[in-house]
Amino acid sequence: MHINELGQLNNVLQRPCTHYDERPEGEVSLLVIHNISLPAGQFATPYVDDLFMGAIDCTAHESFTDLKGLRVSAHCFIRRTGEIIQYVPFEKRAWHAGISTFEGRERCNDFSVGIELEGTDTLAYTQAQYNALHLVTKALMSKYPEIKRSRIVGHCDIAPGRKTDPGASFDWQYYFDLVF
């Protein structure tokens, strides 16, 4: 897997969304792992894609009412099948972290990459997802050498008390064993 000069992964589905902007000056130096499922706990629906593309029908499910007008994105989404969809080039600032801090620096979106895994805090992730995440991580570390083991975190680590993902179901040791 390779990242081109535009910040796009080769051989993955590109679904360019409009929920991003320019990064401020500086190096990409943090990888943030998230989870998402819409509705919560349901997989293989079109709703995550719809959310990131700004086209979610907030009347499609009762839990979607809070999503009305929400503009969020991730650089990539990894489905349970291992399929990778890229929404935002890594060179751009995706809107995934929200209010966040890492090592005293606020606004983690400015210097991070956000990868969403289709899942929940409590259901095990699939082998296909770990394999895909491993490949994306290795490509990111090759392109952005500031991303090291100590700079790969969960959303829960940069927004404690506000976010819990990727949750207890994410096997950090297994993932790090694959990558390192």
Side-chain angles (χ1 to χ4, degrees):
M1 188 165 286
H2 175 73
I3 300 171
N4 69 21
E5 65 281 351
L6 300 175
Q8 298 169 316
L9 286 165
N10 66 325
N11 301 321
V12 305
L13 178 61
Q14 298 291 325
R15 294 269 298 144
C17 75
T18 59
H19 298 175
Y20 72 91
D21 56 7
E22 296 296 323
R23 287 187 188 278
E25 293 293 319
E27 182 64 40
V28 174
S29 61
L30 183 68
L31 171 56
V32 180
I33 300 172
H34 304 260
N35 74 36
I36 189 169
S37 57
L38 293 173
Q42 294 184 29
F43 308 127
T45 72
Y47 301 118
V48 172
D49 186 72
D50 291 347
L51 176 67
F52 292 155
M53 295 301 291
I56 193 163
D57 176 1
C58 291
T59 65
H61 190 271
E62 67 230 15
S63 66
F64 295 174
T65 56
D66 292 343
L67 303 177
K68 186 174 176 92
L70 186 64
R71 293 177 47 108
V72 297
S73 60
H75 289 93
C76 294
F77 175 52
I78 302 176
R79 294 190 183 277
R80 297 192 68 79
T81 61
E83 177 189 19
I84 302 166
I85 303 168
Q86 186 167 10
Y87 293 94
V88 177
F90 300 122
E91 297 294 319
K92 305 296 182 185
R93 177 172 49 194
W95 303 336
H96 62 94
I99 300 167
S100 53
T101 305
F102 182 75
E103 294 183 344
R105 185 173 175 193
E106 295 181 346
R107 299 180 48 95
C108 291
N109 285 339
D110 290 353
F111 57 97
S112 69
V113 167
I115 306 294
E116 293 274 2
L117 300 174
E118 186 175 36
T120 70
D121 287 5
T122 57
L123 294 174
Y125 295 92
T126 68
Q127 185 62 52
Q129 287 178 297
Y130 284 110
N131 293 344
L133 182 59
H134 162 247
L135 294 174
V136 173
T137 302
K138 293 300 268 186
L140 287 166
M141 292 173 66
S142 178
K143 176 83 172 172
Y144 306 107
E146 292 297 315
I147 297 177
K148 300 171 176 55
R149 182 180 173 136
S150 63
R151 299 187 67 82
I152 300 173
V153 299
H155 199 185
C156 57
D157 298 311
I158 63 168
R162 187 175 71 81
K163 294 295 181 176
T164 58
D165 56 314
S169 60
F170 187 76
D171 189 337
W172 284 100
Q173 187 59 56
Y174 178 71
Y175 164 63
F176 284 138
D177 286 347
L178 287 174
V179 174
F180 300 99

